[in-house]
């Protein structure tokens, strides 16, 4: 059951969310240019239900935390969907969250997740998954690209910097409700939630909280700041497609996510 409700929390229409101050995540340029066909070109395939998309370069590893190019982001967005996404005009629209509301003081953001959310293998995705993702990104020991830019205005961030990664005020009220409390109002927060850094990949979602010991990271860990090595055909996403097979530098074959 939901708790700690603020009075009168109007639902903000995603279409009116405007960009104020965003971190230097090129996701905005990707959204606009990909929609306009500048970054990718599509051509009919021999199959009736197939389409071929030409990328400008070979995508790097499927780790959202490390993405620095549009082609990798483009492919990731086919296999993973974030809390919020962007339309062709760069405006925030629902993704995994079907709606969100903001309290009158502008500090409490409540995201309501869709009921049908699941990973590509059918396992359910819950608000706790996104809570863990936010806290992982905020943890400086994880050394995540854009992590500070995306989370420094979330309440509790100063305590995170002092060594308490679980202090970030992001919480799952229930399986479908995620609450984020900010330190100061930010009308662009929904847009920031569309950053590809926040794309969920199940193999990278683990967050150890108070038990996290950076010194315990090792080359044997599949999810550490020192060794985030994943192959495209071994990741579990929640997007409209899945990677069926791939040949680096040649092709990536996607199939519809059932």
């Amino acid at each position: 059951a939901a708790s700690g409700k603020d009075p009168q929390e109007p639902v903000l229409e995603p279409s009116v969310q405007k960009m104020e101050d965003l971190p230097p995540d090129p996701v905005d340029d990707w959204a606009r240019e990909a929609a306009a066909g500048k970054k990718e070109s599509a051509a009919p395939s021999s199959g009736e239900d197939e389409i071929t998309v030409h990328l400008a370069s070979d995508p790097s590893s499927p780790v959202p935390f490390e993405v620095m190019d549009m082609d990798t982001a483009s492919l990731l967005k086919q296999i993973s969907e974030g809390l919020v996404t962007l339309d062709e005009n760069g405006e925030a629209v629902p993704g995994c969250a079907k709606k969100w509301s903001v309290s009158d003081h502008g500090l409490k953001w409540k995201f309501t997740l869709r009921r049908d959310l699941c990973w590509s293998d059918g396992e359910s995705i819950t608000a706790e998954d996104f809570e863990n993702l936010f806290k992982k990104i905020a943890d400086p020991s994880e050394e995540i690209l854009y992590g500070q830019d995306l989370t420094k205005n979330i309440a509790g961030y100063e305590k995170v910097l002092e060594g308490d990664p679980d202090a970030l005020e992001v919480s799952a009220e229930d399986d479908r409700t995620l609450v984020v409390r900010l330190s100061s109002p930010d009308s662009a927060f929904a847009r920031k939630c569309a950053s590809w850094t926040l794309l969920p990949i199940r193999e990278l979602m683990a967050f150890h909280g108070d038990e996290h010991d950076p010194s315990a990271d090792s080359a044997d860990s599949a999810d550490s700041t020192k060794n985030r090595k994943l192959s495209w055909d071994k990741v579990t996403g929640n997007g409209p497609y899945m990677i069926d097979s791939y040949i680096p530098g040649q092709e990536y074959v996607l199939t519809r996510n059932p």
Side-chain angles (χ1 to χ4, degrees), residues 228-254:
R228 290 194 184 107
K229 294 182 179 179
L230 292 175
S231 60
W232 284 95
D233 59 343
K234 300 298 183 182
V235 298
T236 308
N238 66 325
Y241 297 97
M242 305 181 298
I243 300 291
D244 181 63
S245 63
Y246 79 107
I247 302 175
Q250 295 187 40
E251 66 174 10
Y252 291 76
V253 179
L254 283 66

Side-chain angles (χ1 to χ4, degrees), residues 34-241:
K38 295 179 181 178
K39 286 293 176 184
E40 304 169 330
S41 60
S45 177
S46 57
E48 184 176 331
D49 297 323
E50 297 179 1
I51 188 171
T52 299
V53 178
H54 300 284
L55 301 178
S57 61
D58 191 35
S60 56
S61 66
V63 180
F65 311 148
E66 301 172 352
V67 174
M68 297 184 69
D69 66 280
M70 303 299 183
D71 291 310
T72 303
S74 177
L75 189 55
L76 274 171
K77 281 178 172 286
Q78 304 308 310
I79 65 172
S80 179
E81 180 180 52
L83 197 62
V84 176
T85 188
L86 300 179
D87 64 14
E88 65 273 12
N89 297 314
E91 303 293 346
V93 295
C96 288
K98 68 176 184 179
K99 64 179 181 179
W100 54 87
S101 63
V102 185
S103 60
D104 288 340
H105 49 60
L107 299 181
K108 180 180 178 182
W109 288 66
K110 181 180 290 187
F111 297 87
T112 302
L113 305 188
R114 303 196 322 263
R115 291 184 180 274
D116 61 346
L117 291 182
C118 62
W119 299 105
S120 57
D121 63 359
E123 184 176 331
S124 296
I125 297 175
T126 67
E128 185 178 3
D129 289 319
F130 284 98
E131 174 187 345
N132 291 339
L133 182 57
F134 269 99
K135 290 180 176 179
K136 183 183 186 74
I137 287 171
D139 187 350
S141 71
E142 295 285 350
E143 300 177 2
I144 290 175
L145 190 65
Y146 307 123
Q148 180 180 22
D149 295 303
L150 293 169
T151 60
K152 64 183 178 183
N153 191 39
I154 297 178
Y157 184 72
E158 293 301 321
K159 291 183 179 179
V160 172
L161 295 181
E162 294 171 1
D164 183 5
D166 201 41
L168 198 72
E169 294 196 29
V170 179
S171 60
E173 284 192 348
D174 54 48
D175 284 350
R176 296 181 56 242
T177 308
L178 181 75
V179 175
V180 181
R181 296 182 183 275
L182 304 183
S183 298
S184 60
D186 181 3
S187 61
F189 185 66
R191 291 286 308 283
K192 294 176 181 177
C193 289
S195 168
W196 62 49
T197 303
L198 284 164
L199 289 175
I201 295 294
R202 190 170 64 187
E203 288 78 7
L204 299 171
M205 299 287 274
F207 171 70
H208 305 288
D210 293 330
E211 299 178 357
H212 178 58
D213 178 8
S215 64
D217 291 335
S218 69
D220 294 329
S221 172
D223 180 21
S224 74
T225 57
K226 298 177 182 178
N227 185 35
R228 290 194 184 107
K229 294 182 179 179
L230 292 175
S231 60
W232 284 95
D233 59 343
K234 300 298 183 182
V235 298
T236 308
N238 66 325
Y241 297 97

